[in-house]
Amino acid sequence: MDHVYLEPNGIAPPPEPYSHAVRCGDTLYIAGQVAFDESNEVVGVGDPRAQAKRVWHNIRLSVEAAGGTLAYVVKITIFINDVC
């Protein structure tokens, strides 16, 4: 199966050797997203709401780079560092 590595506009290229998203056929796999802006700076230090908004912004950019919308997202896994 063909696969396409995507580097969406508006998300800084990762410092590690991986892609933000990989499209395999009709399925898009998005790497774990964090609250980094297009300059690789943390957004919303100490503000979980601002960080969550940025993460969803990055997810949206990744999905749109593959030609979709957030309406196509069917599964999300969330890891939380501290819930207190």
Side-chain angles (χ1 to χ4, degrees), residues 39-60:
S39 300
N40 255 351
E41 298 294 326
V42 177
V43 173
V45 174
D47 183 352
R49 183 181 306 261
Q51 291 181 358
K53 284 182 179 183
R54 183 61 201 206
V55 168
W56 275 103
H57 175 77
N58 292 350
I59 292 169
R60 180 180 57 79

Side-chain angles (χ1 to χ4, degrees):
M1 177 179 299
D2 291 333
H3 55 278
V4 178
Y5 297 96
L6 303 172
E7 292 300 333
N9 291 329
I11 304 177
E16 295 82 14
Y18 72 88
S19 295
H20 286 289
V22 178
R23 184 175 184 163
C24 297
D26 290 335
T27 303
L28 179 67
Y29 298 94
I30 301 173
Q33 295 297 305
V34 293
F36 288 176
D37 64 13
E38 56 277 351
S39 300
N40 255 351
E41 298 294 326
V42 177
V43 173
V45 174
D47 183 352
R49 183 181 306 261
Q51 291 181 358
K53 284 182 179 183
R54 183 61 201 206
V55 168
W56 275 103
H57 175 77
N58 292 350
I59 292 169
R60 180 180 57 79
L61 292 175
S62 296
V63 172
E64 289 175 353
T69 70
L70 287 177
Y72 290 102
V73 175
V74 296
K75 182 179 187 260
I76 296 287
T77 301
I78 299 171
F79 296 99
I80 299 173
N81 185 20
D82 186 357
V83 296
C84 296

